[in-house]
Amino acid sequence: MKTFIISGLLILISAVGAWADDKIPTVLSNKEAIALVQTHADYVWTLVAAALVFFMQAGFAMVEAGFTRAKNAINIMMKNLMDFSMGSIAFWAVGFGLMFGVSKAGWFGTSGFFLSDFTPGGDPWVLAFWMFQVVFAATAATIVSGAMAERTKFSGYLIYSFFISALIYPVFGSWAWGGLYKGGGWLEHLGFIDFAGSTVVHSVGGWAALAGAIVLGPRLGKYGKDGKVRPILGHNMPLAALGVFILWLGWFGFNPGSTTAANKDIAMIFVNTNLAAAAGCVLAMFTSWMKFGKPEVGMSLNGALAGLVAITSPCATVTPMSAIIIGAAAGVIVVLAVLFFDRIRIDDPVGAISVHGVCGAWGTLAAGIFNIGGTSLKIIGVQLLGIGACFLWVFPSAFLLFKLIDVTIGLRVSPEEELEGLDFAEHGGNAYPDFEISHAGGVGTPEGHGFLKTKPASEKMLGKPVEQT
Amino acid sequence: MKTFIISGLLILISAVGAWADDKIPTVLSNKEAIALVQTHADYVWTLVAAALVFFMQAGFAMVEAGFTRAKNAINIMMKNLMDFSMGSIAFWAVGFGLMFGVSKAGWFGTSGFFLSDFTPGGDPWVLAFWMFQVVFAATAATIVSGAMAERTKFSGYLIYSFFISALIYPVFGSWAWGGLYKGGGWLEHLGFIDFAGSTVVHSVGGWAALAGAIVLGPRLGKYGKDGKVRPILGHNMPLAALGVFILWLGWFGFNPGSTTAANKDIAMIFVNTNLAAAAGCVLAMFTSWMKFGKPEVGMSLNGALAGLVAITSPCATVTPMSAIIIGAAAGVIVVLAVLFFDRIRIDDPVGAISVHGVCGAWGTLAAGIFNIGGTSLKIIGVQLLGIGACFLWVFPSAFLLFKLIDVTIGLRVSPEEELEGLDFAEHGGNAYPDFEISHAGGVGTPEGHGFLKTKPASEKMLGKPVEQT
Amino acid sequence: MKTFIISGLLILISAVGAWADDKIPTVLSNKEAIALVQTHADYVWTLVAAALVFFMQAGFAMVEAGFTRAKNAINIMMKNLMDFSMGSIAFWAVGFGLMFGVSKAGWFGTSGFFLSDFTPGGDPWVLAFWMFQVVFAATAATIVSGAMAERTKFSGYLIYSFFISALIYPVFGSWAWGGLYKGGGWLEHLGFIDFAGSTVVHSVGGWAALAGAIVLGPRLGKYGKDGKVRPILGHNMPLAALGVFILWLGWFGFNPGSTTAANKDIAMIFVNTNLAAAAGCVLAMFTSWMKFGKPEVGMSLNGALAGLVAITSPCATVTPMSAIIIGAAAGVIVVLAVLFFDRIRIDDPVGAISVHGVCGAWGTLAAGIFNIGGTSLKIIGVQLLGIGACFLWVFPSAFLLFKLIDVTIGLRVSPEEELEGLDFAEHGGNAYPDFEISHAGGVGTPEGHGFLKTKPASEKMLGKPVEQT
Amino acid sequence: MNKIEAIIKPFKLDEVKDALNKIGVNGMTINEVKGFGRQRGHKEIYRGAEYQVDFVPKVKIDVVVDSALVNEVVEAISKSANTGKIGDGKIFVLPVAEAVRIRTGETGKSAI
Amino acid sequence: MNKIEAIIKPFKLDEVKDALNKIGVNGMTINEVKGFGRQRGHKEIYRGAEYQVDFVPKVKIDVVVDSALVNEVVEAISKSANTGKIGDGKIFVLPVAEAVRIRTGETGKSAI
Amino acid sequence: MNKIEAIIKPFKLDEVKDALNKIGVNGMTINEVKGFGRQRGHKEIYRGAEYQVDFVPKVKIDVVVDSALVNEVVEAISKSANTGKIGDGKIFVLPVAEAVRIRTGETGKSAI
Ligand SMILES: Nc1ncnc2c1ncn2[C@@H]1O[C@H](COP(=O)(O)OP(=O)(O)O)[C@@H](O)[C@H]1O
Ligand SMILES: Nc1ncnc2c1ncn2[C@@H]1O[C@H](COP(=O)(O)OP(=O)(O)O)[C@@H](O)[C@H]1O
Ligand SMILES: Nc1ncnc2c1ncn2[C@@H]1O[C@H](COP(=O)(O)OP(=O)(O)O)[C@@H](O)[C@H]1O
């Protein structure tokens, strides 16, 4: 009888809820307390991961600047700054709601705009979740700037940048990830596997980059007659390498952070992420060695990124051994893809389309093939469907967007401005005023080994291009 | 009888589980264990945040180097290294005790010097707390070096650097934050809100920077007759942008870490920090666009920092929507402030006074105005009091310190040394020996578009200054 | 009656709350749950620390590039990329098993190759642990590349890089750290203290670097007759300083992360790590000031690293005050060591042997001398034994390895390739094509103040060396 | 022999070089220079202050040829470097007393 | 016509340029060079080793003018570039056979 | 007086400088240039595309001496700069009408 009363008491007390030190602890109050500590760990991990993913913005900026010419370095910094800054505002106002809001039909969300799901005093999880998602949205946006570097009009770029974060990325995202919060998309309902976003983030960025590069056309002097390729040298390889190391670091937030929970799963995700990147880097180096006779730095750097992009989707659902295979394949694929896009005269200064678009698709497919729980035609079919759906949504809509910008305010700078360099033409500045800049055989602005002519198509050049095999 | 059975049960059970340590768990032992796990999470979060804040030192170094001339890059690295290294020692020996030691009158602490509060085997929280606080102290110190760049004598700078970390910063800190540990300051007793230090860290640094810039005077050639401004170009914009990205990352430790506890509050702090930075960056860009006709990179970078500084104080006590407004305002304020200080001929090469001093004050005021719990004249009054108290303590004491250094060992290098560059004059080195340096229209050392003359005030120059509007 | 009570209980419990899952919590289930949450915190901390240590790769790359010539910058990026990428694969396949596998005799492990200890669904701790260990292995490997910079054949370097990660590092590691997992080495059984690896990681790297530098011989033109030293200037000091800041950050993962557990011990380790680095930096600066008349940046940067290396072993077992002494001593030692190795004509472009080899040994000894629990001749004896064992295993084996590479595929490039620069010779590239490169008094490739001759030993040079004191 | 110094717009270098090759002149030395003249530099902005950059980047081509060829060379350069816009540059012809090929010690015409 | 080559201290460039403008010479070409002469370079330190940098950074001004103006130009340069300290530099006057303005094809005086 | 312009391989600069010092010539001005001639540049690769760099980095030495010394100077340079390989460079001798030392105003031989 006594016991009854006591236990009843305890239960009642605990029923009252959140334990406080002055209260007598009970089994139930302890259980709640344990859950709360775990929740705190989840917040910390999710937000630390978000910080690491944010830092990838610096990585993208350095890679892109390093792989392009000194005369456009300021413009690249400005684009990357704005991708994240305007993107954050756009995703706060519109994107998040479209991606994670309540979605009846499974095509896009319709609630939670302006972070309206958060009320002071209420559960702040939506804020932690938003923080983690906004850095993903900005990643998709900034991928594109690399492929459009050195010739895009800044004002036009800003318009694009707003729309990819507010519309193009969130809509596809809602199909695959809406269910992570209040939404629910048709693709995830079919069982589409894209743990951290090989398709949702990277392919989206990659296919938008493809559309942008096509609408813009190549940089002056990039291609000669007969499809001859004239390399336009990146001006700072250590900066590019630093960018890749930063991106690699950021991916340790990107992939394991996608658990948005502090649990044991992150261990395998870390290992897979690292091994795929390593394998991609090594294979890309050897591939470049075989194809060009020397281990080439640009390809090796792209190879590490290719491995990272490829493992993004399967990182939580394949074995480390599979991760190595997936990354290694990506390392080979990216080299061939870069050469391929050059051959079809799509000018992508940093290889964004190959790294993010192509390897993103490969990784998504690989998630089906190497699935730790076994694979099946159905699984692979759904993965292919997701890959296709991504291309079919992103490429046309981005293409349309760029065309609209082009015919209205204009997407590309004038040839004079391009020769002069965007830093002066668009920003009235000079990235390296203390350094003597070399014009050897080039134009009236920093030029590397300069291959530009007044008549771009002209065959006259200092650096004779060599037919690729 | 019952009791026997129960205890017997417990014994058996505990005997069973491999997991069981020798102690029999009880509701109370579990409660303690839960508290311990939470404590571990607090340690991890606080120290990870401290690491991120430490990294801001790299950000400051890159921003400052990027915004100044190649001939002074080594000197800037040395100052930033020493701000943190000597500052750590100074804060360990003196500063921490003054700031967080027992404080009877509420004016400064008097215990805990040399980390004497820690005894081996004792509670190590003081160490975790010190680690988090020392990186804040170093931040205040390093802010100043930017405003004093390119003309300060290294030995004089070291003296200053020691005293700001040992004295100026800790004393004000004890007024507002002493109560976070053993102290307790008059300002916090009045209810002054400065969660992460818009005033305590940034304004302190900013007003000391103002004093330094005034005592030093402008760099040779910076100002012509009739207040004409001759820009002295920063030598490396990508480096400056990298610095801003690093600082932004570090702020994700600076603001949310100020909880020094792993809890749910950090989510809103993350979001507010990010949105304010984004808004500041966007608004500064548009402001520069309107004022100068082009979106200028230097101002855009300053804008992001302005937003971050402004949200530092209110980050935990305003809504995300307010954070955007606060950051946006900071983005406009910083542009006007930079132009203002140039107009009154206070030469601040990196804009430290505008970013940290002015926007720090704005953020502290905003914490009162936008307070999530509602505002009042009293709240705003206390905020204004804190802002004023900071200026009235820091500016005079720093001014005095710099004057004393000036009349004793000297604060400024000779004109010859300044023309030659501090890298050679002070450190006997050369930051970029492999690169050809341009003297176009400049002096016998790296000069950007060089506007220096033997007679600084002379009107003759290559770059004709344009009256500012 | 009883039943009533129970059912009553059940009803009440389920009534209590949203938090309740179907299981009825008990004291024991709570204890398990608490242990699980702690485990999650351990995973998060260990892996976040691993990410920070990974980032040290970027730091090494920047320091090394900054301290060498522009003409070799690409080669340095490639070596650092491959140290980590090939190293990751090698450590996955072989190294981890040798280091942490079951070790009967205590000389090396024999199980766990290819991460075979992990089975899907099984305990993933081995993955978290591997992730933390692989970044340590890569650190040891990449230390060496600095000492061998600017003259090593890339293909030969790759072979070396594989073997240090697969063999040299893991074997010694198994002696000291094997017991952290399934192994158990003779050295740890004697009570050898090397908490985070002053010896296991840094001295291993440093002595291998010594072997490499000796086998290679000095760079062309580094030493004149009569042991005169001709400085070959590093081409980018801001990059080198950025690298040091990144390394300092990474060390906040390297040392405290070595707990591989989220507990209170990390606080003192953070503080000690930071104070030792600060003291090392300050003392190295003052030492250079006294010896050369100016505070020299290269030595100051090395000083910070020296302090970090020295505190790596004792970080968990000495007081903060001792940490300052240990770091300060390292700051002096590193300056003298750099001068010493130059005097005996061992050409180490970045000071890797002095920083990692010498200061690693000092730190390991210091762990015995300053041991918080008191010291004894026995303790110091064991420390010295460990230091000696490290040298006796690493130096001969690395020497042999480099000799074997030298006589087979070759370890050093031709003088022509060295003059031309490895970027072109080995990678067919150019790190800075947009910048005019200065050859003042130098060779036909980027050269800084160039001191090279066709006849290296010749006395003719632009920069007249000054006898060192 | 004469030395022809041509100061041209940088992006014209390739064309001028090709034009010279066509008339059989394969040796030349080029140099990055900064020019002042009728063509003005442009305005730039830095952190809110506008300023005028007076100089214009130019490339200077030095080519030494036998006097007989001077007119042809000057012709070739002025044609290929011409855009008709201000700032096209100048060509100066200087007398050269002697030329030596370091490798062989040849002198005079055969040296160039 | 003559070509005047002046090698001056870099920080004197603006003054020399202004002096030339004053006497009506607006066109010139400048170039970063390294000088060796009586003025020595300085000692620097790198990671503990001290070394001597022999060269001194200089700026070279090329200006081609009508022979009638040579003295005036030389005058203007030497006045404006003079500091009286070692290393002020040199002025060399070279004969010029012909000058062409690429844009217009003008030759002789009218070309400069 | 004459101006000797020597275009040499960069890594030969120190030797040439020393050779000139030996015969008492201590003043000179050097300049980084890019050379085109028989010696070709090399092939480089960038992200998979191979390309030819035509120019070769060279250093140009300007030294003005009394006509009496010209042969000796040319001699010294060609000896010290010679490697016998293609690309060793050229030496050109130009007449100089006048020389001025800015610091002192000295003219003629005494100025150099
Ligand atoms: N008198 C001169 N001496 C040497 N160089 C000159 C002279 N005048 C012009 N130049 C060079 O020629 C370049 C072009 O001259 P400029 O007057 O701008 O246009 P244009 O060639 O159409 O006359 C200048 O930038 C400068 O480098
Ligand atoms: N004989 C020479 N030929 C070419 N340039 C010279 C000659 N002598 C000196 N110079 C240049 O003039 C500069 C100044 O000469 P220097 O002897 O140092 O001082 P000063 O001008 O007072 O005589 C040198 O740095 C060099 O660039
Ligand atoms: N006609 C010329 N005018 C000016 N410079 C020349 C001329 N011919 C060659 N040069 C310079 O001399 C350098 C060497 O000439 P090159 O033909 O390559 O080899 P070599 O010196 O053995 O004849 C070239 O790189 C170029 O800088």
Side-chain angles (χ1 to χ4, degrees), chain C residues 79 176 252 302 350 455:
Chain C
K79 283 191 312 181
F252 288 135
N302 276 165
V350 306
K455 301 183 244 60

Side-chain angles (χ1 to χ4, degrees), chain A residues 67 231-234 292 296 299 302 349-350 440 449 462-464, chain F residues 34 36 40 43-55:
Chain A
F67 279 165
I232 296 177
L233 305 194
F292 322 131
E296 203 271 329
M299 289 297 188
N302 276 165
V350 306
H449 289 66
L462 185 57
K464 290 183 190 45
Chain F
K34 298 189 175 67
F36 295 85
R40 316 299 303 177
K43 275 199 168 28
E44 293 186 354
I45 323 159
Y46 180 70
R47 311 194 64 249
E50 212 176 305
Y51 59 94
Q52 173 72 29
V53 180
D54 272 6
F55 68 79

Side-chain angles (χ1 to χ4, degrees), chain A residues 151-176:
Chain A
R151 58 210 194 274
T152 306
K153 202 167 155 183
F154 187 64
S155 55
Y157 186 81
L158 291 183
I159 311 268
Y160 141 78
S161 184
F162 177 86
F163 278 103
I164 191 168
S165 301
L167 192 67
I168 297 174
Y169 170 79
V171 167
F172 183 79
S174 76
W175 300 353

Side-chain angles (χ1 to χ4, degrees), chain D residues 7 34-39 56 58 85-90 92, chain E residues 25 27-29 62-65 101-103 111-112:
Chain D
I7 295 140
K34 300 192 174 65
F36 296 85
R38 278 173 197 64
Q39 184 194 359
V56 190
K58 299 280 174 189
K85 296 213 196 65
I86 261 190
D88 274 353
K90 315 276 189 195
F92 303 120
Chain E
V25 177
M28 68 194 77
T29 301
D62 287 359
V63 47
V64 174
V65 293
R101 164 173 287 127
I102 290 169
R103 171 168 46 100
I112 57 181

Side-chain angles (χ1 to χ4, degrees), chain A residues 285-359:
Chain A
M285 177 195 73
F286 282 119
T287 309
S288 70
W289 209 332
M290 284 182 305
K291 284 192 82 69
F292 322 131
K294 303 223 170 173
E296 203 271 329
V297 66
M299 289 297 188
S300 306
L301 292 170
N302 276 165
L305 300 182
L308 288 162
V309 168
I311 201 63
T312 297
S313 173
C315 59
T317 53
V318 300
T319 63
M321 173 68 88
S322 305
I324 291 176
I325 297 165
I326 292 167
V332 178
I333 291 169
V334 73
V335 175
L336 303 179
V338 166
L339 298 178
F340 169 77
F341 285 112
D342 255 351
R343 199 168 301 105
I344 63 172
R345 295 165 147 262
I346 290 172
D347 181 18
D348 177 357
V350 306
I353 304 165
S354 306
V355 168
H356 301 277
V358 177
C359 292

Side-chain angles (χ1 to χ4, degrees), chain B residues 146-209:
Chain B
M148 299 176 65
E150 306 202 277
R151 57 210 193 274
T152 306
K153 202 167 154 184
F154 187 65
S155 54
Y157 186 81
L158 291 183
I159 312 269
Y160 141 77
S161 184
F162 176 87
F163 279 102
I164 190 168
S165 300
L167 191 67
I168 297 174
Y169 169 80
V171 167
F172 183 80
S174 77
W175 302 352
W177 286 357
L180 295 177
Y181 186 57
K182 293 191 174 171
W186 64 273
L187 207 46
E188 58 192 321
H189 294 147
L190 294 175
F192 180 59
I193 311 169
D194 191 7
F195 186 73
S198 288
T199 288
V200 175
V201 179
H202 295 281
S203 286
V204 165
W207 302 142

Side-chain angles (χ1 to χ4, degrees), chain C residues 385-420:
Chain C
L385 179 66
I387 293 165
C390 178
F391 186 87
L392 291 176
W393 158 249
V394 175
F395 183 78
S397 58
F399 193 91
L400 188 72
L401 173 60
F402 286 123
K403 276 289 183 200
L404 282 174
I405 295 170
D406 200 19
V407 297
T408 50
I409 64 170
L411 189 64
R412 184 166 181 154
V413 296
S414 71
E416 291 64 34
E417 292 172 314
E418 190 174 337
L419 290 178
E420 177 92 73

Side-chain angles (χ1 to χ4, degrees), chain B residues 332-459:
Chain B
V332 178
I333 291 168
V334 74
V335 176
L336 303 179
V338 166
L339 298 178
F340 169 77
F341 285 112
D342 254 350
R343 199 167 303 107
I344 63 172
R345 294 163 148 266
I346 291 172
D347 182 17
D348 177 358
V350 305
I353 304 165
S354 306
V355 168
H356 300 277
V358 176
C359 292
W362 156 241
T364 309
L365 178 61
I369 298 171
F370 295 92
N371 184 18
I372 204 163
T375 184
S376 72
L377 281 184
K378 183 183 165 308
I379 292 177
I380 290 174
V382 172
Q383 295 304 97
L384 290 170
L385 178 65
I387 293 165
C390 178
F391 186 88
L392 291 176
W393 159 249
V394 175
F395 183 78
S397 57
F399 192 90
L400 189 71
L401 173 60
F402 286 123
K403 276 290 183 201
L404 282 173
I405 295 170
D406 200 19
V407 297
T408 52
I409 65 171
L411 189 63
R412 183 166 181 155
V413 297
S414 71
E416 292 63 34
E417 292 172 314
E418 189 173 338
L419 290 178
E420 178 93 72
L422 301 187
D423 286 1
F424 168 66
E426 290 282 68
H427 307 286
N430 177 346
Y432 299 107
D434 285 3
F435 296 98
E436 288 253 298
I437 297 301
S438 169
H439 312 103
V443 301
T445 41
E447 244 321 88
H449 289 66
F451 300 90
L452 305 199
K453 318 297 292 174
T454 33
K455 302 183 241 57
S458 138
E459 216 31 34

